Amino acid sequence: MLAGLIGIASMGTASAHILKLSTWNMDWLTLRPSGDGALPDDVPGGGHRDFPKLAAYARHLDSDVVAFEEVDGPIVASRVFSPKTYQILLTPDAVVQRVGVAVRRDLHVTVNEELSALNVASPDAPHQLRGGLDVTISDAHASLRLLVVHLKTGCWDQPLNQRQHSCPTLYQQVRVMQDWMLERQDEGEAYAVLGDFNRRLTLHDPLMQQIETETPVTLTTAAKASPCWGGEYFIDHILLGNAAQNWLVPDSLRVMTYKNDTAPAGLSDHCPVSVRLDMP
């Protein structure tokens, strides 16, 4: 049962050590025209996107760090996240739906090696999967390692013995993700894994239970429901590991909904999900 509806909150400027961390799937954000060979037939091109409104929502979100998914490069990302405010970084994947991050310019960013192993598709597969963006965010006092992911769609809540459809691919990606988490655990780094998991993770989900067996993390969306587009289960998540679990500001989970917009035309079929961290 869905519990605990999360609503939009007023957004103020973060204090020196309070970090607002968000994830936002931008829904095929591209400047390519409709009919471009890189886009599926049912995906319209950039001409239908309301970039001024998306940019206004990004300013209202007012996040220090925004992990984003389904973005076709830094140029189109800069139409939403002002380069005057944010550093914009993306994976080098040769796909339209890349993952990336917008980081406020007063924070230091170290780009680590891409987690390309998340692309578990064979080299000759017609559709390649997305790698993970691995960066370290630092202020003058503490550092946070981030892994931005966008996992395979289609395995929403099936059991772990499901061997049809997208589930074997998703489970393989989660194993890769867990290996990265185990490295962070061994190194004692505060970390977050965030993005579009394409999985309705809950504390009762067997996949989430499997993750926690080896890599104890805080599922910040646990026991909550998203108000995005009228109410739905979360598939966009923020997992916190090691010291970052203790940094989570209680009850800081927020979902930014699209005020007075009743359909996602020109916007996105996902809403930004955020938490606040009290960094030492």
Side-chain angles (χ1 to χ4, degrees):
M1 175 179 291
L2 294 178
L5 196 66
I6 304 295
I8 186 170
S10 60
M11 307 300 178
T13 302
S15 65
H17 304 303
I18 297 293
L19 183 85
K20 184 175 181 182
L21 181 63
S22 306
T23 181
W24 191 2
N25 184 313
M26 306 300 295
D27 186 23
W28 289 97
L29 192 73
T30 184
L31 295 176
R32 299 171 192 261
S34 297
D36 186 284
L39 301 177
D41 293 339
D42 60 346
V43 173
H48 89 292
R49 302 310 294 266
D50 193 334
F51 286 103
K53 187 173 286 185
L54 283 169
Y57 277 119
R59 291 191 297 271
H60 183 69
L61 181 64
D62 194 27
S63 190
D64 298 295
V65 179
V66 185
F68 53 77
E69 302 84 46
E70 298 195 23
V71 175
D72 190 16
I75 295 177
V76 69
S78 69
R79 296 281 297 272
V80 178
F81 304 100
S82 170
K84 293 182 179 179
T85 305
Y86 292 103
Q87 307 166 70
I88 298 173
L89 304 163
L90 293 95
T91 59
D93 293 336
V95 297
V96 176
Q97 292 187 328
R98 292 158 68 182
V99 303
V101 67
V103 181
R104 202 175 293 278
R105 287 197 170 275
D106 59 355
L107 294 170
H108 179 74
V109 186
T110 301
V111 180
N112 305 307
E113 184 178 357
E114 179 195 7
L115 190 60
S116 57
L118 279 177
N119 179 12
V120 297
S122 62
D124 58 350
H127 299 293
Q128 295 297 302
L129 300 175
R130 298 152 290 249
L133 181 68
D134 183 345
V135 298
T136 302
I137 308 297
S138 305
D139 61 12
H141 305 276
S143 297
L144 178 68
R145 188 84 173 253
L146 300 180
L147 179 65
V148 184
V149 302
H150 186 184
L151 304 183
K152 176 67 174 175
T153 188
C155 188
W156 311 111
D157 48 21
Q158 287 85 342
L160 293 180
N161 60 2
Q162 171 65 265
R163 289 295 175 260
Q164 298 177 351
H165 309 297
S166 302
C167 288
T169 300
L170 178 71
Y171 299 155
Q172 191 176 354
Q173 288 183 306
V174 169
R175 182 66 262 176
V176 172
M177 186 182 77
Q178 275 198 274
D179 287 344
W180 183 92
M181 294 163 68
L182 283 168
E183 289 181 5
R184 307 287 76 74
Q185 188 169 290
D186 291 345
E187 294 170 3
E189 291 180 290
Y191 71 88
V193 182
L194 68 169
D196 184 351
F197 287 68
N198 273 311
R199 178 80 177 188
R200 300 182 185 109
L201 294 177
T202 69
L203 296 180
H204 303 291
D205 175 34
L207 185 58
M208 187 66 220
Q209 292 175 343
Q210 174 183 290
I211 292 171
E212 288 200 300
T213 298
E214 296 185 18
T215 48
V217 290
T218 296
L219 175 64
T220 61
T221 52
K224 304 294 184 182
S226 171
C228 190
W229 303 121
E232 58 185 24
Y233 287 96
F234 279 103
I235 61 172
D236 302 292
H237 302 283
I238 301 173
L239 306 181
L240 301 176
N242 290 341
Q245 296 180 83
N246 300 323
W247 299 350
L248 178 64
V249 175
D251 302 318
S252 66
L253 178 68
R254 296 291 185 271
V255 176
M256 190 189 74
T257 57
Y258 305 107
K259 186 176 181 181
N260 298 325
D261 291 309
T262 57
L267 298 176
S268 173
D269 56 353
H270 293 243
C271 298
V273 177
S274 306
V275 296
R276 293 178 185 271
L277 303 181
D278 189 358
M279 299 177 68

